[in-house]
Amino acid sequence: MPTTTSTTPLTFYDIATRPPAQENSCSPNPTKTRLALNFKSLPYNTTWVPLPDVSAVRQSLHLPACRQFADGSDFYTLPILHDPNTNTLVGDSFDIAIHLQNTYPSSGHGDLFPPQPLNYTFPQDPPPIVPLSATRDTSANPALLEPYARFNVHVDAAFTAHTPLTVQGFPFDPATEETVKAEFVRRAQLAGAPVQNWADFKCEGEYRKSLLESFEKTLGGLAEAFARDGGPFVLGERVSYADFIVGGWLRMFRVMLPLEEWEMVSGWHGGVFGRLYAALEVFAEVK
Ligand SMILES: N[C@@H](CCC(=O)N[C@@H](CS)C(=O)NCC(=O)O)C(=O)O
């Protein structure tokens, strides 16, 4: 049984998508945080931030950027967590999970980081597309936390390589849709991509087919981690932050892929990812 705490509610900053958030919120790194907060059964409120306001909100909290764009300029991101019980602000999903574990070690379902090897490796050198923040503090227990940190980088790389499949399914908040589309085009241009407008992100025909094949193959390597103890989680029946790392990305693909493709993904490799997604539902409540 999860234990409950009498803490003051925390504030969790997530990216606003098309309402209702319960159906459409799907940013992978904030989702990792939501799963961890729900696992810990902590009281919290969500502050939904429109995507064009993320920079201003993060800067108003005096949190440095933990990513950079292709031209080296700062890329301000969410999630952010404010914990009034410790007077702490944390601005990276992995750092947040460590904060929750250190501050509330036995809350909710207990240990987010049980010892496990987590050997999955993305086949190419993972490019630092979605880096961990430089401030992550694994020093409390490097032997325990480094495998999770490494798994986070490799899983991020595996899914990020296949995000062109999702772009056209982005659940835009109608209030900011045009601004956000223009911003995504600007970022792609900074990275040297030959795009002039939103329609140029289309991923269709042979390109889509080959990317789906690559995605299936890539997920095959990751599926092995879940096969070892029979699933649905990496540690069999015991959920851990490793499952939330993958779950954050599965949520994005579930929301953004056409339904028939999501059903394909859920069924690949003996249904490992469909079973994981279903087993994580209990931690996925959007509040
Ligand atoms: N290393 C950071 C990366 C955070 C990140 O990349 N967040 C994305 C959403 S998944 C974001 O805030 N994007 C804002 C934008 O695209 O403007 C973490 O794990 O928290």
Side-chain angles (χ1 to χ4, degrees), residues 15 28-30 51 66-67 75-79 92-93 130-131 187:
I15 297 172
N29 289 300
L51 205 121
C66 63
R67 290 179 68 176
F75 180 177
Y76 292 94
T77 57
L78 299 181
D92 174 274
S93 58
V130 190
R187 291 176 187 179

Side-chain angles (χ1 to χ4, degrees), residues 19 21 33 53 73 94-95 100 114 126 131 156-157 164 170 179 219 287:
T33 296
D53 297 347
S73 58
F94 197 77
D95 292 341
L100 294 178
D156 283 358
F170 194 98
T179 312
L219 288 189
K287 22 186 179 183

Side-chain angles (χ1 to χ4, degrees), residues 55-268:
S55 300
V57 167
R58 195 171 172 110
Q59 289 181 81
S60 72
L61 297 170
H62 306 290
L63 274 172
C66 63
R67 290 179 68 176
Q68 272 70 41
F69 291 116
D71 66 350
S73 58
D74 282 337
F75 180 177
Y76 292 94
T77 57
L78 299 181
I80 293 172
L81 187 75
H82 176 232
D83 185 346
N85 303 290
T86 55
N87 201 17
T88 312
L89 260 177
V90 194
D92 174 274
S93 58
F94 197 77
D95 292 341
I96 291 171
I98 293 175
H99 168 79
L100 294 178
Q101 184 53 35
N102 288 345
T103 314
Y104 308 98
S106 56
S107 285
H109 297 258
D111 191 357
L112 269 173
F113 295 105
Q116 54 178 324
L118 296 169
N119 290 326
Y120 171 70
T121 303
F122 180 59
Q124 299 138 32
D125 265 351
I129 307 171
V130 190
L132 295 167
S133 75
T135 58
R136 79 187 190 277
D137 184 8
T138 56
S139 59
N141 196 337
L144 185 73
L145 294 173
E146 284 301 340
Y148 281 91
R150 189 178 166 282
F151 185 72
N152 196 24
V153 171
H154 283 261
V155 169
D156 283 358
F159 281 90
T160 301
H162 299 94
T163 51
L165 291 165
T166 64
V167 177
Q168 295 293 345
F170 194 98
F172 288 106
D173 181 347
T176 57
E177 177 163 354
E178 291 316 314
T179 312
V180 174
K181 283 180 172 170
E183 171 61 8
F184 285 170
V185 169
R186 186 190 74 86
R187 291 176 187 179
Q189 289 172 341
L190 280 183
V195 290
Q196 300 305 324
N197 53 50
W198 181 252
D200 292 338
F201 284 119
K202 68 178 179 300
C203 175
E204 295 170 350
E206 279 307 306
Y207 174 42
R208 189 166 195 91
K209 196 163 158 270
S210 68
L211 209 52
L212 279 167
E213 281 167 12
S214 158
F215 192 31
E216 180 176 10
K217 194 162 162 238
T218 301
L219 288 189
L222 185 56
E224 286 169 21
F226 290 87
R228 191 190 54 207
D229 290 334
F233 305 121
V234 180
L235 284 174
E237 292 297 318
R238 180 173 185 182
V239 70
S240 73
Y241 192 67
D243 305 297
F244 299 159
I245 291 169
V246 180
W249 286 101
L250 290 180
R251 168 83 180 176
M252 172 178 169
F253 279 72
R254 210 280 286 143
V255 170
M256 295 202 208
L257 283 181
L259 184 59
E260 62 280 12
E261 287 182 359
W262 166 250
E263 284 170 354
M264 253 165 52
V265 174
S266 334
W268 285 341

